[in-house]
Coordinates of all heavy atoms in Angstrom, one line a residue:
V11 N 6.2 5.9 6.1 CA 5.6 4.7 5.7 C 6.7 4.1 4.7 O 7.2 4.8 3.9 CB 4.2 4.9 4.9 CG1 3.8 3.7 4.2 CG2 3.2 5.5 5.8
I12 N 6.8 2.8 4.8 CA 7.9 2.1 4.1 C 7.2 1.2 3.1 O 6.4 0.4 3.5 CB 8.9 1.4 4.9 CG1 9.7 2.4 5.8 CG2 10.0 0.6 4.1 CD1 10.6 1.7 6.8
F13 N 7.5 1.3 1.7 CA 7.0 0.4 0.8 C 8.1 -0.6 0.2 O 9.2 0.0 -0.2 CB 6.4 1.2 -0.4 CG 5.2 2.0 0.0 CD1 5.2 3.3 0.2 CD2 3.9 1.3 0.2 CE1 4.1 4.0 0.6 CE2 2.8 2.1 0.5 CZ 2.9 3.4 0.7
G14 N 7.8 -1.9 0.1 CA 8.7 -2.8 -0.6 C 8.6 -2.7 -2.0 O 7.6 -1.9 -2.5
N15 N 9.2 -3.6 -2.8 CA 9.2 -3.6 -4.2 C 7.7 -3.9 -4.8 O 7.1 -4.8 -4.1 CB 10.1 -4.6 -4.8 CG 11.5 -4.2 -4.7 OD1 11.9 -3.1 -4.7 ND2 12.4 -5.2 -4.5
H16 N 7.2 -3.3 -5.7 CA 6.0 -3.6 -6.4 C 4.8 -3.6 -5.6 O 3.9 -4.5 -5.6 CB 6.1 -4.9 -7.1 CG 7.1 -5.0 -8.2 ND1 7.0 -4.4 -9.4 CD2 8.4 -5.4 -8.2 CE1 8.0 -4.5 -10.1 NE2 9.0 -5.2 -9.5
V17 N 4.8 -2.7 -4.6 CA 3.5 -2.5 -3.8 C 2.6 -1.6 -4.6 O 3.0 -0.5 -5.1 CB 3.8 -1.9 -2.5 CG1 2.5 -1.5 -1.8 CG2 4.6 -2.8 -1.6
Y18 N 1.3 -2.0 -4.9 CA 0.5 -1.3 -5.7 C -0.7 -0.8 -4.8 O -1.4 -1.6 -4.3 CB -0.1 -2.1 -6.8 CG -0.7 -1.3 -7.9 CD1 -0.2 -1.2 -9.2 CD2 -1.9 -0.7 -7.8 CE1 -0.7 -0.6 -10.3 CE2 -2.5 0.1 -8.8 CZ -1.9 0.1 -10.1 OH -2.5 0.8 -11.1
V19 N -0.9 0.6 -4.7 CA -1.9 1.2 -3.9 C -3.0 1.8 -4.8 O -2.6 2.8 -5.5 CB -1.3 2.4 -2.9 CG1 -2.4 2.8 -2.0 CG2 -0.2 1.7 -2.1
N20 N -4.1 1.2 -4.9 CA -5.2 1.7 -5.7 C -5.8 2.9 -5.1 O -5.5 3.4 -4.1 CB -6.1 0.5 -6.0 CG -6.7 0.6 -7.4 OD1 -6.8 1.7 -8.1 ND2 -7.1 -0.6 -8.0
F21 N -6.8 3.4 -5.9 CA -7.4 4.8 -5.7 C -8.1 4.8 -4.3 O -8.7 3.9 -3.8 CB -8.2 5.2 -6.7 CG -9.3 4.5 -7.1 CD1 -10.6 4.7 -6.4 CD2 -9.4 3.3 -8.0 CE1 -11.8 3.9 -6.8 CE2 -10.5 2.6 -8.2 CZ -11.7 2.9 -7.6
M22 N -7.9 6.1 -3.7 CA -8.7 6.5 -2.4 C -8.3 5.5 -1.3 O -9.2 5.3 -0.4 CB -10.2 6.4 -2.7 CG -10.6 7.4 -3.8 SD -12.5 7.6 -3.9 CE -12.9 8.4 -2.4
V23 N -7.1 5.2 -1.1 CA -6.7 4.3 0.0 C -6.0 5.3 1.1 O -5.4 6.3 0.6 CB -5.6 3.3 -0.5 CG1 -4.8 2.7 0.7 CG2 -6.2 2.3 -1.3
G24 N -6.3 5.0 2.3 CA -5.6 5.7 3.4 C -4.6 5.0 4.1 O -5.1 3.8 4.5
V25 N -3.5 5.4 4.3 CA -2.4 4.6 5.1 C -1.9 5.5 6.2 O -1.4 6.6 6.0 CB -1.3 4.2 4.2 CG1 -0.2 3.4 5.0 CG2 -1.8 3.3 3.1
G26 N -2.0 5.0 7.4 CA -1.5 5.8 8.6 C 0.0 5.8 8.7 O 0.7 5.1 8.0
H27 N 0.5 6.6 9.6 CA 1.9 6.8 9.8 C 2.6 5.5 10.3 O 2.0 4.6 10.9 CB 2.1 7.9 10.9 CG 1.5 7.6 12.2 ND1 2.1 6.8 13.1 CD2 0.4 8.0 12.7 CE1 1.3 6.8 14.2 NE2 0.3 7.4 13.9
D28 N 3.9 5.4 9.9 CA 4.8 4.3 10.4 C 4.3 3.0 10.0 O 4.7 2.0 10.6 CB 4.9 4.4 11.9 CG 5.5 5.7 12.3 OD1 6.7 5.9 12.2 OD2 4.8 6.6 12.8
C29 N 3.6 2.8 8.9 CA 3.3 1.4 8.4 C 4.4 0.9 7.5 O 5.2 1.6 7.0 CB 2.0 1.5 7.6 SG 0.5 1.8 8.5
V30 N 4.5 -0.4 7.5 CA 5.6 -1.1 6.6 C 4.8 -2.1 5.8 O 4.0 -3.0 6.2 CB 6.5 -1.8 7.6 CG1 7.5 -2.6 6.6 CG2 7.3 -0.8 8.4
F31 N 5.2 -2.1 4.4 CA 4.5 -3.0 3.5 C 5.6 -3.7 2.8 O 6.5 -3.1 2.1 CB 3.7 -2.1 2.4 CG 2.5 -1.4 2.9 CD1 2.7 -0.2 3.4 CD2 1.3 -2.0 2.9 CE1 1.6 0.6 4.0 CE2 0.2 -1.4 3.4 CZ 0.2 0.0 3.9
D32 N 5.7 -4.9 2.9 CA 6.6 -5.8 2.3 C 6.3 -5.9 0.8 O 5.1 -5.5 0.4 CB 6.8 -7.2 2.9 CG 7.5 -7.0 4.3 OD1 8.2 -6.0 4.6 OD2 7.5 -8.0 5.1
G33 N 7.2 -6.5 0.0 CA 7.0 -6.5 -1.5 C 5.7 -7.2 -2.0 O 5.3 -8.1 -1.3
Y34 N 5.3 -6.8 -3.2 CA 4.3 -7.5 -4.0 C 2.9 -7.4 -3.3 O 2.1 -8.2 -3.6 CB 4.7 -8.9 -4.2 CG 6.0 -8.9 -4.9 CD1 7.2 -9.2 -4.2 CD2 6.3 -8.6 -6.2 CE1 8.5 -9.2 -4.7 CE2 7.4 -8.6 -6.9 CZ 8.5 -8.9 -6.1 OH 9.8 -8.8 -6.7
T35 N 2.7 -6.5 -2.4 CA 1.3 -6.3 -1.8 C 0.4 -5.5 -2.6 O 0.9 -4.6 -3.3 CB 1.5 -5.7 -0.3 OG1 2.1 -6.7 0.5 CG2 0.2 -5.2 0.2
Q36 N -0.8 -5.9 -2.8 CA -1.9 -5.2 -3.5 C -2.9 -4.7 -2.5 O -3.5 -5.4 -1.7 CB -2.5 -6.2 -4.5 CG -3.7 -5.6 -5.2 CD -3.3 -4.6 -6.3 OE1 -2.1 -4.6 -6.8 NE2 -4.2 -3.7 -6.6
I37 N -3.1 -3.3 -2.6 CA -4.1 -2.7 -1.7 C -5.2 -2.1 -2.6 O -4.9 -1.2 -3.4 CB -3.4 -1.5 -0.9 CG1 -2.2 -2.1 -0.2 CG2 -4.5 -1.0 0.1 CD1 -1.3 -1.0 0.5
N38 N -6.4 -2.6 -2.6 CA -7.4 -2.3 -3.4 C -8.2 -1.1 -3.0 O -8.0 -0.5 -1.8 CB -8.4 -3.5 -3.6 CG -7.7 -4.6 -4.5 OD1 -6.8 -4.3 -5.3 ND2 -8.2 -5.8 -4.4
P39 N -9.1 -0.4 -3.9 CA -9.7 0.9 -3.6 C -10.4 1.0 -2.3 O -11.2 0.1 -1.9 CB -10.7 1.0 -4.9 CG -10.1 0.2 -5.9 CD -9.4 -1.0 -5.1
G40 N -10.1 2.2 -1.6 CA -10.9 2.5 -0.4 C -10.5 1.8 0.8 O -11.0 2.2 1.9
A41 N -9.4 1.0 0.8 CA -9.0 0.4 2.0 C -8.4 1.5 3.0 O -7.8 2.4 2.5 CB -7.9 -0.7 1.7
Q42 N -8.5 1.3 4.3 CA -8.0 2.2 5.2 C -7.1 1.4 6.3 O -7.7 0.4 6.9 CB -9.2 2.9 6.0 CG -10.0 3.6 5.0 CD -9.3 4.8 4.4 OE1 -8.6 5.6 5.0 NE2 -9.5 5.0 3.1

């Protein structure tokens, strides 16, 4: 999994393999 600058992953988030997150993304609690 690749994270860009300032990606914030809040609590209890699940992220599958080979995902790409560009910068400044906000992932809120419990997202899958």
Side-chain angles (χ1 to χ4, degrees):
V11 175
I12 298 173
F13 294 103
N15 291 328
H16 295 284
V17 174
Y18 198 111
V19 184
N20 214 328
F21 61 90
M22 298 184 72
V23 168
V25 176
H27 57 83
D28 298 286
C29 289
V30 177
F31 297 85
D32 289 342
Y34 306 99
T35 288
Q36 173 73 23
I37 309 170
N38 283 342
Q42 301 295 313

